[in-house]
Amino acid sequence: MASGRSEQFRTYHRDDCVVLLKTNELYGGLSNMAGRYPVKVNGVYVRSSEALYQACRFPHLPRAQEVILQQTSPMTAKMKSKPYRKDSRPDWERVRVTVMRWCLRVKLAYHQDSFGKLLLATKDKPIVEESRKDSFWGAKPEGEDSLVGCNVLGRLLMELREELKERPSEDFSIVEAPKVKDFLLLNRPIDKIEVEREVRNSRVSADPATAQGDLF
């Protein structure tokens, strides 16, 4: 999915879809707002794919990245990024889909046994993030039965699901850094992610305060 082609509004019928709205629902773990899927990047503990995505806005502002990574929930990580957004990397609109695709693959690398299985459990249904504000990453309700928007997050999840179906025995524990200029975390170029099997198969605590010890 190229960034230019992703900005196409689509209409989804709610009853035919897996709809992501609340993280405590059956498929809530697919949401970036799910807080029980920590990862490590360059040896840095990151509590969620949302925190990782938001930190990637600011490769030139390591202090902003620190503030985002210090937050204990995905929502507060997102909120803490807002005061800095006027200073997002200048090409952010162009690279943000590429960055999100990478964030989801990092999440899968660490959580293939949970996140991966959850993805596959959606079978062939469209995955749609319901949002009342964001029709780019999600889709907005229209009437009782329809959701309308670009649904880019849902489409990236479906793309990843198809890779899992097509290559079920392949190891997804290695994730190359995207070809994005100045792709930095805390002043260091982001390296290739390589997750050891014993880490990938660990059970992860839903409590952010204890998750670091359980996973790492």
Side-chain angles (χ1 to χ4, degrees):
M1 183 192 303
S3 182
R5 290 188 291 122
S6 64
E7 298 182 19
Q8 300 171 357
F9 272 53
R10 299 182 179 188
T11 298
Y12 300 90
H13 297 287
R14 185 183 294 275
D15 291 343
D16 298 331
C17 300
V18 170
V19 179
L20 309 181
L21 182 60
K22 298 179 180 179
T23 59
N24 61 356
E25 294 176 339
L26 179 59
Y27 294 103
L30 299 180
S31 170
N32 266 15
M33 291 299 161
R36 53 192 180 274
Y37 297 92
V39 302
K40 250 185 178 181
V41 176
N42 284 7
V44 176
Y45 179 73
V46 184
R47 288 181 170 85
S48 66
S49 53
E50 180 66 23
L52 183 58
Y53 172 77
Q54 296 297 341
C56 287
R57 284 177 174 268
F58 312 108
H60 55 302
L61 298 176
R63 177 54 189 155
Q65 291 183 325
E66 285 180 358
V67 170
I68 291 165
L69 297 177
Q70 287 168 358
Q71 305 311 307
T72 58
S73 78
M75 182 56 73
T76 55
K78 181 178 180 179
M79 297 303 293
K80 288 293 185 179
S81 76
K82 288 187 174 182
Y84 302 98
R85 288 190 185 178
K86 65 182 183 302
D87 297 316
S88 295
R89 54 180 300 150
D91 61 351
W92 182 242
E93 294 296 307
R94 181 173 61 81
V95 304
R96 60 180 175 166
V97 173
T98 298
V99 171
M100 182 65 81
R101 178 185 283 111
W102 173 79
C103 289
L104 295 176
R105 278 156 174 72
V106 175
K107 181 177 178 179
L108 177 64
Y110 276 99
H111 302 283
Q112 192 168 334
D113 282 1
S114 50
F115 178 58
K117 287 180 180 178
L118 198 59
L119 262 180
L120 291 174
T122 64
K123 301 185 183 298
D124 295 317
K125 288 188 173 184
I127 301 171
V128 184
E129 181 177 51
E130 180 175 347
S131 175
R132 297 194 176 276
K133 297 180 179 180
D134 188 348
S135 59
F136 178 77
W137 291 113
K140 295 180 180 179
E142 286 200 3
E144 294 184 0
D145 302 323
S146 297
L147 296 160
V148 179
C150 299
N151 188 39
V152 175
L153 179 64
R155 291 161 66 184
L156 288 174
L157 288 166
M158 289 185 277
E159 176 186 277
L160 190 54
R161 179 181 67 189
E162 292 310 304
E163 290 186 31
L164 281 168
K165 287 181 182 178
E166 291 169 6
R167 310 199 311 269
S169 62
E170 190 160 326
D171 191 349
F172 288 86
S173 64
I174 298 176
V175 185
E176 298 286 348
K179 294 180 179 178
V180 172
K181 183 181 178 182
D182 298 326
F183 197 55
L184 310 173
L185 186 66
L186 304 181
N187 284 324
R188 282 184 53 201
I190 293 177
D191 298 325
K192 176 171 66 176
I193 304 293
E194 296 185 77
V195 182
E196 297 178 2
R197 180 176 296 276
E198 58 269 25
V199 173
R200 186 173 70 247
N201 291 336
S202 295
R203 292 182 59 84
V204 182
S205 170
D207 180 1
T210 61
Q212 183 167 358
D214 290 347
L215 185 57
F216 305 118

